Amino acid sequence: MAPAAFSRLRRAIGATVPRGWEATLRKAEVGAAKTYALIAHLGATTCSKLKTSTLRDLATTMEAEGLSASTIQKELSLLKAAFNAAIREWSWSGFVNPVVGIKLGKSESRFVRLSSLEEQRLVQAMSECDNPQFWPLVELAITTTMRRGSLLKMRWSNVSLESREVHVWAKGFNVTLPLSQRAVELLRRIPRDGSDCVFSMSANAVKMAWQGVRDKAGLPGLRFADLRHVGATFYAKAGFNPHQLKAVLGHKSTRMAEVYVNLANSDVHEALDKAEAAGSFSRPLPPAHFHSGYDLHTPSWPGAERAGSTANQSCPPM
C-alpha cells in the first residue's frame, strides 16, 4: 500500500502517523478526498464486516479521482494477499476473502527511452552535481539495471571485477548479477574510502540529488526507478532474448523480460529508418517548392493536356 494510504489507515485506527509522511498525506488528500474518506471508513471496519461491494466502490472511487490503474491494482492486490495469508497462516475459518471476485487490472509496463538530446542534457546535469558519487551511481543504475536500494547496499566484498559479477540484495532475496565491461569500468573509477560500501550516499541524499539533476536536465517526469527501465529497454532493443534479459534484471522468471522484449519488438520506428537507410526507396523526394512553384500551364501528369488545365487547378483530375 502506498505510504499516504497506509498513513491514512494508521490515523483511522488512532495510530501516530510518521512525521515524514505528513506532507505527502496532505498533498494526496487534496486531490482524492473521497478515496481517503473511504479508506478511513475501511480502516475502522472489522475484517469480518468488510464486503466485496465496498472494496469495489473503493476501486471505482480511486479511478474517478484520477488514480492510475496500476495504483488501484497494487492497493487491492496487497489487501487480497493479506487476507489470503490470514486465512492460510492464522486459520481464519469461515472467512471469505472480500477481494476475491474483484477483477484486478494490470500494472502499467513502462517502456522508457531517452532521446540523444535528452541523454546529453542528463549527462550535462550530472557533471554539474556536487556529489562525485552520484554520476557513477546513475550510470550503474542504467548499465546494470539495479534498483536504488540494491546499489546503495552494494559491498565491495560482494563484487568481483575479475569474474564480472556482483552479489546483491534485491526485493527480498539475494541475487548474483552479471557485469558488463562498462559496469566494471564504472566500478573501477569509484574511489574507495576504506569502507566496504561502494556508495556512501543515503537514500534521501540520492532522492535530493536526483530531483536537482532531472530538473536541470529538463526531465521532471523521469524517476530514478525509470533508469532501470532505460537499461532494460536498451538491452531488449539490442537483441537480448528473454533468458539473457532475465539474468541482467535478476528476475526468477522470464515473464517481465518478455514484456521488455515484446515492447522493443513492437517499436517499429528503428526498423523503418533502417529499411529506408538501406536504400529500399531509391526515388528522390520532390523539391520543397513543388506546390508553390508548380507550373499550371504545363501540367505533367498523364492525360493532362486532354483534360485541360485551369488557373486554380493544382492536382490531377480524379
Side-chain angles (χ1 to χ4, degrees), residues 75-113:
E75 295 279 356
L76 294 180
S77 293
L78 180 58
L79 289 173
K80 183 178 182 179
F83 288 134
N84 282 338
I87 294 171
R88 182 179 64 253
E89 304 294 337
W90 301 341
S91 302
W92 281 16
S93 59
F95 178 80
V96 178
N97 191 329
V99 187
V100 173
I102 300 178
K103 186 177 180 180
L104 301 180
K106 296 181 179 180
S107 298
E108 298 175 0
S109 299
R110 294 182 65 80
F111 187 45
V112 184
R113 184 174 60 180

Side-chain angles (χ1 to χ4, degrees), residues 130-165:
D130 294 335
N131 193 317
Q133 289 189 346
F134 190 67
W135 191 351
L137 180 76
V138 171
E139 286 292 345
L140 274 174
I142 298 174
T143 305
T144 66
T145 73
M146 278 197 279
R147 300 176 179 87
R148 181 184 64 178
S150 298
L151 288 165
L152 296 182
K153 291 178 181 177
M154 192 162 49
R155 299 292 182 265
W156 288 116
S157 56
N158 293 327
V159 176
S160 174
L161 300 181
E162 290 72 26
S163 61
R164 291 168 51 186
E165 292 180 333

Side-chain angles (χ1 to χ4, degrees), residues 288-305:
H289 62 277
F290 177 76
H291 288 291
S292 60
Y294 194 85
D295 188 353
L296 298 176
H297 298 289
T298 55
S300 58
W301 61 82
E305 293 80 2

Side-chain angles (χ1 to χ4, degrees), residues 153-218:
K153 291 178 181 177
M154 192 162 49
R155 299 292 182 265
W156 288 116
S157 56
N158 293 327
V159 176
S160 174
L161 300 181
E162 290 72 26
S163 61
R164 291 168 51 186
E165 292 180 333
V166 56
H167 193 63
V168 295
W169 180 260
K171 294 198 75 173
F173 58 92
N174 289 308
V175 62
T176 299
L177 300 176
L179 296 173
S180 67
Q181 293 182 355
R182 178 181 175 83
V184 169
E185 183 59 29
L186 283 167
L187 286 167
R188 284 190 173 131
R189 296 188 180 199
I190 298 175
R192 304 194 186 191
D193 58 4
S195 71
D196 197 32
C197 297
V198 177
F199 296 102
S200 60
M201 298 181 69
S202 66
N204 188 62
V206 173
K207 178 182 177 181
M208 299 301 292
W210 177 247
Q211 288 178 348
V213 163
R214 72 177 186 181
D215 291 344
K216 185 176 292 186

Side-chain angles (χ1 to χ4, degrees), residues 174-297:
N174 289 308
V175 62
T176 299
L177 300 176
L179 296 173
S180 67
Q181 293 182 355
R182 178 181 175 83
V184 169
E185 183 59 29
L186 283 167
L187 286 167
R188 284 190 173 131
R189 296 188 180 199
I190 298 175
R192 304 194 186 191
D193 58 4
S195 71
D196 197 32
C197 297
V198 177
F199 296 102
S200 60
M201 298 181 69
S202 66
N204 188 62
V206 173
K207 178 182 177 181
M208 299 301 292
W210 177 247
Q211 288 178 348
V213 163
R214 72 177 186 181
D215 291 344
K216 185 176 292 186
L219 301 168
L222 187 67
R223 305 177 304 190
F224 192 92
D226 288 335
L227 300 178
R228 175 175 169 86
H229 300 297
V230 171
T233 299
F234 169 80
Y235 291 124
K237 288 181 68 62
F240 277 43
N241 62 46
H243 292 282
Q244 293 171 322
L245 198 52
K246 175 180 82 71
V248 173
L249 292 168
H251 287 165
K252 292 184 176 180
S253 71
T254 61
R255 184 182 64 84
M256 194 61 208
E258 288 168 352
V259 171
Y260 283 111
V261 171
N262 291 335
L263 286 171
N265 289 339
S266 66
D267 185 15
V268 299
H269 291 98
E270 188 170 342
L272 289 171
D273 294 343
K274 285 182 178 180
E276 292 185 352
S280 299
F281 292 115
S282 58
R283 301 180 303 279
L285 292 172
H289 62 277
F290 177 76
H291 288 291
S292 60
Y294 194 85
D295 188 353
L296 298 176
H297 298 289

